[in-house]
Amino acid sequence: MTTRTNTRSATVALNTQRTVSDISPLIFGGFAEHMGRCIYEGIYDPASPLADARGFRPDVMKALKELNYRIMRYPGGNFVSGYRWQDGIGPKEQRPRRRALAWRSIETNQFGADEFMEFARELDTEPMWAVNLGTGSIQDAADLVEYMNLPTGTHFSDLRATNGHADPYGVKYWCLGNEMDGPWQIGHLDAVAYADKAVEAAKLMRWMDPSIKTIACGSSNTAMPTFPEWDRVVLERTYEHIDYFSMHYYVGNPNMNSKEAVDTDSYLASSVHFDEHAETVAAAIRLAKAKTRSKKDVGLCWDEWNVWYRAVGGDGNWEEAPHILEEVYNLEDALVVAQWLSTFLRKADIVRIACIAQIVNVIAPIMTRADGLFLQTIYYPLMMFSRHAAGNSLDVLVQAPTHETMKFGEVSLLDVTASHDPATGKGAAFLVNRSQTEALDVTIRWEDIAPDALTEAWQMTGSDPMAANSFEQPEAVTIHTIAPPAMDGATVTLTLPPLSFTVLTSQHTPG
């Protein structure tokens, strides 16, 4: 537990005309993989007394809807590189049970393509399908597009109709495999071999449906010895055939699981690395565009991101829905997640899709058991950004005290992003005080036009960065409504406690 000391000052300048880019709503996405208890006993739990006739639990669906996911990636992840999508369609009693080699578990295939689409429609979220480019063929990928998107009249579209779904689903976003740079991946390929297979898959898939958008695999993390060379090679060979390029990264508090000193200050500065990661891959995209003399743009799709370092291993011991990778999140994790979401706003011009991995039970903001659920600490920043960040991302000017970190050197104590929607006049500011001991008196000044009012405010804080929620204490760490600070002309001043995440919303006259 930390000991608090003095208060220091910082200033933030906002200007609704000084923007980074529009904010893509698709940065507020999720990821559901056949992994542990994410699908079975998570979003699909027909044996539960709480489940509806479709196998969905209303309590889980309600919690997911509060996060307002705009896009949902499925079915993997490492799982997809050994997945036969045909196993998950048709009468359930005829679906095969198989070993899922990626997570050493048993896949019953009781939840598949049609069930996922029903789930996505219930959430009102855009589906994003990953195709198997590990053991799967480019023909398998094209056949899946036919099943999902084509009108009846050919084999797989007719099969969809036979399975009770006459109308095409119209899936727009398609991932060309998963983490194919990783030696752990089923069917791992080097950059040239992967790029060539991805191009041929994309061609067949687009011949089936020219309207789809495709996403090529980038490096699975920045520690890979092939990063960023993998990204350069793949981009240059696939550029004209893709619309987005993926990024994956997970972060943790160094030495938390060892006898060495825990480096919370560096951990709370992780967004320094998040920003640099996005800039590096964006540079590779610009290089590929220049070298190929292309006229099109390719966006970043950060389709796996989260805190993940305690619950590791992932050996399901050949069980159905094994209890694996069920990370418990604390206050400092929530502050890091808030800053990660701020990275998406700071890099809104290049980060166009993002999916937190994952959504229920497995490294997730929601944890379930047979009789209920609780919300993890990271749930709350996800909810706040998804609800309130809209319109344009503002180019925020910040003057704040700094402190020295072991990993990143000198880092500002204050992380800030802001948004403004000209159509509605609604604005929001998202502030994290990274200090463990010092409060910050922050003055926010609107340089162009002051808001008519600050409408609402919320704050998440605590004295113990390791405090976490549980079934026994489901609200040990949560976000609380606070009184919006009073405006003084075009400025407002508020105090940010140490270890805090604060959200302010404002209202301008629209237009």
Side-chain angles (χ1 to χ4, degrees), residues 308-321:
W308 181 16
Y309 67 103
R310 304 174 188 89
V312 296
D315 185 347
N317 198 31
W318 305 118
E319 299 173 2
E320 294 179 23

Side-chain angles (χ1 to χ4, degrees), residues 78-121:
N78 293 348
F79 172 81
V80 77
S81 292
Y83 180 53
R84 292 171 254 202
W85 67 265
Q86 297 93 333
D87 289 349
I89 60 174
K92 292 189 176 184
E93 66 275 9
Q94 296 177 18
R95 299 183 190 181
R97 291 167 53 88
R98 295 196 189 274
R99 283 194 166 200
L101 299 180
W103 304 113
R104 288 174 51 84
S105 56
I106 298 299
E107 174 55 50
T108 66
N109 285 302
Q110 295 300 289
F111 187 97
D114 297 307
E115 289 80 17
F116 173 71
M117 292 307 299
E118 186 172 16
F119 169 74
R121 286 180 171 177

Side-chain angles (χ1 to χ4, degrees), residues 455-467:
T455 51
E456 292 181 282
W458 300 265
Q459 195 166 80
M460 183 179 195
T461 189
S463 60
D464 182 4
M466 307 305 169

Side-chain angles (χ1 to χ4, degrees), residues 31-33 35-40 42-43 358-362:
F31 173 33
E33 181 173 3
M35 175 184 184
R37 295 194 305 129
C38 181
I39 303 297
Y40 306 110
I43 65 176
Q358 293 185 21
I359 58 170
V360 182
N361 290 327
V362 176

Side-chain angles (χ1 to χ4, degrees), residues 212-271:
I212 66 171
K213 303 292 185 182
T214 58
I215 304 147
C217 291
S219 293
S220 51
N221 63 75
T222 58
M224 294 295 290
T226 52
F227 174 81
E229 181 66 6
W230 165 281
D231 306 77
R232 182 192 67 80
V233 171
V234 171
L235 279 162
E236 289 177 11
R237 298 179 79 91
T238 64
Y239 198 88
E240 289 301 323
H241 298 274
I242 63 172
D243 302 282
Y244 299 90
F245 192 68
S246 78
M247 300 171 59
H248 291 181
Y249 193 71
Y250 296 95
V251 72
N253 190 340
N255 307 322
M256 180 63 76
N257 296 322
S258 75
K259 296 181 181 179
E260 299 178 42
V262 174
D263 186 9
T264 291
D265 284 341
S266 291
Y267 180 51
L268 290 174
S270 293
S271 63

